[in-house]
Amino acid sequence: MKNIYAMTQDEVYDAVAKKRITASTPREKADRSFGANAQAYKWTNESLVELATHLHLDLQGRDMLLIACSGDPVITFAGLGAGNQVGFDSSHKAVLWSELKLKAVENFSWNKFCGFFGLENGLCSDAKPGYRELREHLSEYAREVFDEIFSGDSCAHEIFSRASFFRQGYSASFPTLNNYSASEKNYEKARQQLKRHTVRLVPGSLEDVLKLAGRKFGAFYGSNAMDHFTNSSGQFDYSKGNITPFLEAIDSRLEQDAKMIIQFEWSQELLENATAVLAERGYSAELAPGKAGGYGKLCVASRKKHGTLNTECACCK
């Protein structure tokens, strides 16, 4: 298997995305459904800024496996020192949007990025000329989709609120929850880190990405995926028996002194059971206060090199 970081982004798409979407592919009927054509979040609704301001997360030198979501986690973690990253999402729209946003960070100054996405006044006045500049840096798949979105007479507001592409209610929300968009200094730090390292995006399932990546990682970000776990009857099921296989599959691809970053939104039962399962595997968990806005609380679970505390070991002191 070829090293995923040595593959081009188009080669990654070719390996996984056998059936592709277009910009006009109808969105999933159910608002919270998952699939290739599920809508993308324009910005995160999770308080990623608290990873820096309250939990002081340091990812220096750690390669990451993560759910791509809006692309904001990849950029935020780069700003917190992450090395190479592999992002995945069942939604092709989320993956392609993440690619566009990443290329904007890599190639645009802070002011140009704000103008492109309308962070300062919401007008996105630089959307079309900005896209023409970004286009050459995108994969073939991304160009196929975004050429359609940015073509024609649509104004910038219509481009960035397209109902078939963006999850409505979130299409222009919460950019302030990102640490990288809090200041030009933070943005530049993330930008330089992304330019030094490699990010590959996989439109598929956890099984798809683990098969393709074939390597271990120093950290994992799972967003609030476990909030959606159900049993065979379609009912939400946050029991240890239902969540353990997922956590074990992730843990099997993490280094011994790994970190897991997980969002809990809906269920105290899930939070308690998940942190208990992680504790059984040697992780200690710390929760962000959740005071910056957004939904739920972020948890950072860390494990020492020996899995359990060893007072004779320098890494545990």
Side-chain angles (χ1 to χ4, degrees), residues 2-295:
K2 190 174 182 180
N3 181 343
I4 191 170
Y5 299 127
M7 300 171 72
T8 67
Q9 186 58 65
D10 274 311
E11 287 175 332
V12 172
Y13 289 152
D14 289 341
V16 179
K18 304 304 181 185
K19 185 177 181 181
R20 299 191 173 188
I21 65 163
T22 68
S24 300
T25 299
R27 66 182 187 270
E28 302 283 354
K29 292 182 178 179
D31 184 55
R32 295 188 183 275
S33 62
F34 295 96
N37 56 323
Q39 295 154 292
Y41 286 85
K42 184 178 178 184
W43 303 102
T44 186
N45 64 356
E46 300 173 6
S47 187
L48 298 176
V49 67
E50 290 190 321
L51 293 172
T53 59
H54 291 280
L55 297 182
H56 309 293
L57 181 64
D58 183 3
L59 296 169
Q60 194 65 42
R62 293 178 182 270
D63 285 0
M64 285 201 67
L65 175 67
L66 69 159
I67 299 178
C69 303
S70 59
D72 291 332
V74 181
I75 305 167
T76 291
F77 295 139
L80 295 177
N84 299 324
Q85 300 186 63
V86 176
F88 70 100
D89 204 295
S90 59
S91 166
H92 288 216
K93 294 174 183 176
V95 166
L96 295 171
W97 176 248
S98 295
E99 182 187 341
L100 180 75
K101 194 180 287 184
L102 285 167
K103 293 305 177 183
V105 172
E106 290 176 10
N107 292 281
F108 286 172
S109 68
W110 167 248
N111 289 334
K112 186 181 282 278
F113 181 89
C114 290
F116 183 68
F117 290 108
L119 290 186
E120 292 185 343
N121 54 26
L123 297 179
C124 309
S125 57
D126 296 330
K128 285 191 175 181
Y131 176 68
R132 288 194 293 270
E133 187 174 339
L134 280 182
R135 189 181 184 278
E136 65 176 293
H137 302 289
L138 298 175
S139 67
E140 179 182 347
Y141 189 11
R143 289 197 299 268
E144 289 172 359
V145 171
F146 290 114
D147 280 357
E148 179 181 343
I149 289 179
F150 284 90
S151 66
D153 298 324
S154 296
C155 67
H157 174 74
E158 291 170 335
I159 289 171
F160 288 129
S161 60
R162 191 183 181 104
S164 63
F165 199 88
F166 293 110
R167 192 177 293 273
Q168 299 306 292
Y170 300 103
S171 61
S173 300
F174 309 128
T176 55
L177 295 180
N178 293 300
N179 192 56
Y180 78 89
S181 60
S183 69
E184 183 174 0
K185 179 181 178 181
N186 290 357
Y187 176 86
E188 192 60 30
K189 184 177 180 181
R191 182 180 181 223
Q192 294 304 320
Q193 190 75 349
L194 287 170
K195 292 172 75 170
R196 285 192 293 265
H197 296 279
T198 301
V199 175
R200 289 294 175 258
L201 300 167
V202 180
S205 65
L206 175 63
E207 182 180 3
D208 291 330
V209 74
L210 292 182
K211 181 179 180 181
L212 186 63
R215 62 191 307 112
K216 288 204 170 189
F217 299 88
F220 169 74
Y221 167 73
S223 186
N224 73 319
M226 288 193 295
D227 278 322
H228 299 268
F229 279 17
T230 58
N231 56 28
S232 57
S233 301
Q235 303 297 312
F236 288 121
D237 183 351
Y238 303 132
S239 65
K240 284 187 177 181
N242 200 45
I243 65 176
T244 295
F246 172 78
L247 292 172
E248 287 182 340
I250 296 297
D251 192 38
S252 70
R253 289 299 187 89
L254 296 182
E255 296 166 354
Q256 188 60 45
D257 60 341
K259 296 180 183 292
M260 283 201 198
I261 306 151
I262 301 172
Q263 172 83 0
F264 297 99
E265 291 188 10
W266 302 344
S267 170
Q268 183 66 24
E269 178 192 5
L270 173 60
L271 190 158
E272 292 174 357
N273 285 342
T275 52
V277 172
L278 290 172
E280 292 167 3
R281 304 186 74 83
Y283 290 88
S284 58
E286 183 180 6
L287 286 173
K291 295 180 179 179
Y295 294 93

